Amino acid sequence: MLAGSLVALILTVFTKPLAARLRNSRGFKDTGTDIVGRKGLVVEAIEPGRYGQVKVGGDTWSATSTVALGKDQEVIVVRRGTTIIEVERWGDMY
């Protein structure tokens, strides 16, 4: 138990700085950083206050919206959280 606890403690202390260094290294690209402003398609209907699914490019994201959106509606990504995006109906912004 002592060895396992020690390994867990060491990994906890050193993982975050190591991950930050790798993220800042040349050639690393976060696929979600350029998603805001892109067009997507609703795969699973979205109701206000509930999650739905939106396909943007080749990726499917959990999504929220302030308005009800039905399946197969075109949307635009207005904000990205860690794993959830916020979308609006395509054309409502313009």
Side-chain angles (χ1 to χ4, degrees), residues 30 33 41 71 73:
D30 184 4
T33 55
L41 187 67
K71 186 176 179 183
Q73 277 190 303

Side-chain angles (χ1 to χ4, degrees), residues 38-42 46-48 54 64-78 86-94:
R38 291 185 60 193
K39 196 172 176 180
L41 187 67
V42 178
I46 304 170
E47 296 293 327
V54 173
T64 62
S65 179
T66 56
V67 296
L69 298 169
K71 186 176 179 183
D72 296 329
Q73 277 190 303
E74 290 183 326
V75 294
I76 186 166
V77 179
V78 293
E86 186 177 331
V87 296
E88 290 184 2
R89 189 174 296 126
W90 177 257
D92 282 358
M93 285 187 66
Y94 303 104

Side-chain angles (χ1 to χ4, degrees), residues 4-83:
S5 296
L6 187 59
V7 168
L9 180 63
I10 291 170
L11 288 175
T12 301
V13 170
F14 291 108
T15 299
K16 189 171 183 175
L18 180 62
R21 185 186 308 159
L22 290 173
R23 247 184 269 119
N24 294 331
S25 67
R26 202 166 94 175
F28 177 81
K29 183 179 178 190
D30 184 4
T31 59
T33 55
D34 59 349
I35 195 169
V36 175
R38 291 185 60 193
K39 196 172 176 180
L41 187 67
V42 178
V43 176
E44 182 182 307
I46 304 170
E47 296 293 327
R50 301 184 141 240
Y51 297 116
Q53 299 284 317
V54 173
K55 187 165 191 162
V56 180
D59 298 323
T60 302
W61 292 79
S62 292
T64 62
S65 179
T66 56
V67 296
L69 298 169
K71 186 176 179 183
D72 296 329
Q73 277 190 303
E74 290 183 326
V75 294
I76 186 166
V77 179
V78 293
R79 193 169 297 118
R80 175 190 176 234
T82 306
T83 59

